[in-house]
Amino acid sequence: MSDNRDKEMNQPSVLEVARKDDGKFVEPLQLGKRLKEIRLANNLTLEEASRLTGLARSTLSKIENEQISPTFQAVQKLTAGLGIDIPQLFVPPSDGPTANGRRDISRAGEGQPHPTTTYEHELLCTQMRDKKMVPFKCTVRARSFGDFDDWVRHEGEEFMLVLSGAVEVYTEFYEPVKLSEGDSIYYDARMGHCLVSVSKDDAVVLWVTSR
């Protein structure tokens, strides 16, 4: 195995074939830093990335620290193992989060009402457009699964926190689960889901949905 890896590292560097400008080599910016950024964004350790890509941990570490340049074959293994495209490696690494200064506030009881037959939604922070998350407070009027015509499904992921009362959460691939005040759940919103109140008073929950 080590012989094969040595052969891979002796091949022409991907930097030598990635980009050219009028026949002159143009070196991509901080390929190692970009690779590390992608690995960490996927919550992978070096050991896990090594198993996924078939490259030695030491090799990955040297690439990330700009000690060696990966061969084209090594880059192919990286992109296949990490599930990315080659051009993604040549996007300059970010310099950290950039604040855009956006902010929105909803005072208690001032959310935008959106009642349905099963839920009474209060949409929060509605003045900010193009949000990456949609927060809303909800009073759960439904009392049985039969109150719904069908599963609720939509794009994105969803987080739900019970603020008061208790609910029973129905999901397409799991048995129903009861959640009480302070309990929370996170799930793929493309999976059929719905919830009903099981406490004396209608439960109130906080929902946050990603776009």
Side-chain angles (χ1 to χ4, degrees):
M1 183 66 71
S2 60
D3 291 341
N4 291 335
R5 286 173 175 160
D6 290 340
K7 289 178 182 178
E8 290 173 8
M9 300 316 298
N10 289 330
Q11 294 176 8
S13 167
V14 67
L15 305 185
E16 297 172 14
V17 296
R19 297 190 301 182
K20 293 184 180 292
D21 184 15
D22 295 330
K24 183 177 179 181
F25 169 64
V26 179
E27 182 174 275
L29 297 175
Q30 297 177 295
L31 177 61
K33 184 177 179 181
R34 175 61 179 153
L35 174 59
K36 184 175 183 179
E37 185 178 78
I38 292 171
R39 176 175 64 79
L40 294 178
N42 286 280
N43 296 315
L44 295 173
T45 64
L46 280 170
E47 288 80 5
E48 290 169 334
S50 175
R51 287 195 297 270
L52 288 172
T53 61
L55 295 173
R57 181 191 183 283
S58 58
T59 299
L60 290 173
S61 178
K62 289 177 181 178
I63 293 173
E64 290 188 356
N65 289 289
E66 308 288 348
Q67 295 175 355
I68 59 174
S69 296
T71 65
F72 188 73
Q73 187 175 358
V75 166
Q76 287 180 313
K77 289 188 175 184
L78 286 170
T79 54
L82 299 177
I84 60 174
D85 297 323
I86 287 179
Q88 290 179 257
L89 282 175
F90 297 95
V91 176
S94 64
D95 293 324
T98 300
N100 59 25
R102 301 202 305 166
R103 193 184 78 167
D104 195 0
I105 295 174
S106 289
R107 300 293 183 185
E110 294 183 356
Q112 180 179 324
H114 183 73
T116 71
T117 57
T118 50
Y119 302 132
E120 187 173 327
H121 298 307
E122 182 184 354
L123 307 181
L124 306 175
C125 299
T126 58
Q127 299 302 309
M128 186 180 292
R129 296 182 179 275
D130 300 321
K131 297 190 294 291
K132 294 182 179 179
M133 299 181 293
V134 179
F136 53 100
K137 188 163 64 172
C138 174
T139 301
V140 183
R141 302 298 189 196
R143 286 286 171 169
S144 73
F145 183 77
D147 291 340
F148 296 86
D149 294 329
D150 197 359
W151 290 110
V152 177
R153 290 188 182 88
H154 50 83
E155 290 298 318
E157 297 180 330
E158 204 155 61
F159 169 80
M160 189 270 289
L161 170 69
V162 182
L163 299 178
S164 65
V167 297
E168 191 161 42
V169 182
Y170 292 85
T171 47
E172 192 172 10
F173 306 129
Y174 298 88
E175 291 295 320
V177 60
K178 181 180 177 180
L179 300 178
S180 301
E181 182 175 334
D183 294 338
S184 59
I185 185 173
Y186 190 105
Y187 52 89
D188 179 355
R190 294 170 299 181
M191 173 178 62
H193 60 277
C194 61
L195 62 150
V196 302
S197 287
V198 293
S199 48
K200 179 180 179 181
D201 297 322
D202 291 339
V204 179
V205 304
L206 172 68
W207 248 318
V208 181
T209 302
S210 69
R211 287 191 181 276

